[in-house]
Amino acid sequence: MKIAVFNDYRVGLVEGDSIYDITSAIPGASPAWPAIFMTRAIADWQSLRPRVLEARTTATPVPLSSVRLLPPNPCPIQVIAAPANYRKHIAEMGAMAVTRKGRSAREQGFFMKSTASLTGPARGIELPRSVTRRFDHESELAVIIGKTCRNVPRAQALDAVFGYSCLIDVTMRIEKDVAEEERVMRKSFETFTPLGPWITTADEIADPQQLSNQLFVNGELRQDANTRDMIVGVAELIELASSVMTLYPGDVLATGTPEGIGPIRAGDKVAIRIDQVGQMEVGVREADAGTPFGFELAAR
Ligand code: MN
C-alpha cells in the first residue's frame, strides 16, 4: 500500500499513475493546524484498514500528476537522522568536522532534524535568499515508525516499522577553516527535509537492506548506492534511537546518505529514487523572504 497526503491535506492510496482519495476513512484529516492526523492514523492503521479498503473501492481514481503532493506524514513527533552511515560518504567528507577521524553513526549516534523542515514535492526546497553558502543534497531511505516503542532489541526492531519513504536531507555545509555551526541548525532550514512522495508500507519491502538508492540533479545521476552498504542498518538504528527515547507512530528515521553528495542551486530539479519504495522530483528555488541573519562564514 502506498499512502500519500495531497492537495488540502487529503489522504490517498497510490496505484500506478493514479491516486484514490480515502480521506473519509481517516479521522481528523483536515488542513487545520497542526496536521497531526497521519501520526494518529499510522498509530491506528490496523483498525482503520477495513475502512481504508472500503473507501478505496468506492473512490474514483485521479491522475497522480494532477494533485499536489505534501509530505506523507506532515506532522510527525520526531525526525531522527543518522550521520555518517556509509563508508564511502565518510571518505568523501574527509576531514570535515562531522566525520572527523572516520567515526560512523555507530560511534556518533544520531541527531534530530526539525519536524517543521519537512516538505513535499509540491512545495519543494527553498534555499535561504541571498545566502551564498553551499547547500547539498543527501539521498536517504526514510523509515516510518509504526508503533510506540522503547528499548527495542534489533532482532525485533523491524516489527516496529510502518513503512518506508524517500528523504532528501538538505544540508548547509560547514566550510574548512571556519567555525563549526550546529548540525541541527544547518539541516533544519524550512523545506530542508523533502519526504515522499508517499509511504510504502513495510509489507511491500522484502528487505530494507537491499534497496538501490539513486539521486539525480537535472537528470544527471549524482548518487548511486545500495542500502546494503549502510554501516548501522535500519534495525540497529531503531535499537539505538529507542534506547534513548520512546519512538512514536509516524516518527521519521533518516538512515543516512551514501557518497555522491553535492551542491544544489535555485532552478535545479532534484529526483530521488529508491527501489520498491518510490521516486519523487522536487524543485529548488530561492525563498521569497530574505533571512535577517546572514549566515556569513565566521572565522574559527
Ligand atoms: Mn544525512
Side-chain angles (χ1 to χ4, degrees):
M1 201 175 263
K2 293 179 167 56
I3 307 160
V5 176
F6 66 102
N7 291 355
D8 203 7
Y9 292 89
R10 303 196 69 78
V11 183
L13 297 185
V14 176
E15 296 176 25
D17 295 330
S18 299
I19 186 164
Y20 294 77
D21 191 328
I22 54 131
T23 310
S24 62
I26 306 297
S30 93
W33 180 89
I36 198 78
F37 61 90
M38 276 305 294
T39 286
R40 292 204 174 101
I42 289 167
D44 298 337
W45 196 258
Q46 278 316 309
S47 61
L48 292 177
R49 202 178 149 83
R51 291 170 60 180
V52 167
L53 295 175
E54 172 70 23
R56 157 66 184 81
T57 61
T58 55
T60 305
V62 300
L64 190 57
S65 58
S66 69
V67 304
R68 289 174 48 80
L69 288 167
L70 309 178
N73 185 5
C75 195
I77 306 295
Q78 302 174 118
V79 178
I80 300 156
N85 206 17
Y86 287 80
R87 290 280 166 222
K88 288 179 187 168
H89 171 58
I90 294 173
E92 77 180 346
M93 295 301 282
M96 294 181 79
V98 182
T99 51
R100 200 160 40 202
K101 297 176 184 155
R103 290 179 306 151
S104 74
R106 183 162 288 128
E107 295 81 33
Q108 294 189 49
F110 59 88
F111 64 95
M112 308 294 288
K113 294 194 77 169
S114 167
T115 54
S117 67
L118 288 170
T119 187
R123 184 175 178 188
I125 300 163
E126 297 173 9
L127 300 179
R129 177 168 286 270
S130 304
V131 174
T132 57
R133 297 284 296 272
R134 172 175 156 175
F135 297 98
D136 280 359
H137 56 78
E138 296 188 352
S139 184
E140 308 197 9
L141 172 70
V143 178
I144 312 298
I145 298 296
K147 46 179 88 156
T148 300
C149 57
R150 183 80 212 276
N151 293 323
V152 189
R154 69 190 75 173
Q156 281 104 57
L158 294 185
D159 296 340
V161 175
F162 178 73
Y164 299 90
S165 193
C166 303
L167 185 148
I168 303 171
D169 176 14
V170 183
T171 304
M172 181 171 76
R173 281 288 157 228
I174 53 171
E175 306 280 348
K176 205 170 180 307
D177 300 325
V178 297
E180 292 168 21
E181 297 144 321
E182 287 290 342
R183 175 158 48 193
V184 168
M185 180 181 81
R186 295 185 290 102
K187 289 171 172 282
S188 289
F189 285 88
E190 192 164 328
T191 74
F192 271 28
T193 310
L195 179 73
W198 46 69
I199 297 168
T200 298
T201 49
D203 57 297
E204 296 191 5
I205 307 298
D207 182 354
Q209 305 302 151
Q210 293 290 336
L211 303 173
S212 74
N213 168 358
Q214 294 179 309
L215 183 138
F216 303 80
V217 177
N218 302 325
E220 188 178 313
L221 183 62
R222 294 287 176 81
Q223 296 191 263
D224 188 11
N226 193 290
T227 57
R228 76 171 73 93
D229 294 323
M230 270 183 207
I231 297 167
V232 180
V234 172
E236 189 181 344
L237 277 173
I238 292 170
E239 178 185 272
L240 168 63
S242 74
S243 295
V244 175
M245 57 210 191
T246 299
L247 303 184
Y248 297 97
D251 278 0
V252 177
L253 194 47
T255 57
T257 186
E259 67 280 8
I261 59 156
I264 53 173
R265 297 178 186 85
D268 285 347
K269 294 275 187 207
V270 183
I272 176 172
R273 182 162 74 200
I274 298 181
D275 187 28
Q276 301 170 49
V277 174
Q279 57 186 67
M280 69 171 173
E281 182 178 270
V282 298
V284 182
R285 66 185 194 91
E286 199 171 50
D288 292 332
T291 50
F293 192 91
F295 299 100
E296 302 294 336
L297 293 172
R300 200 180 281 275

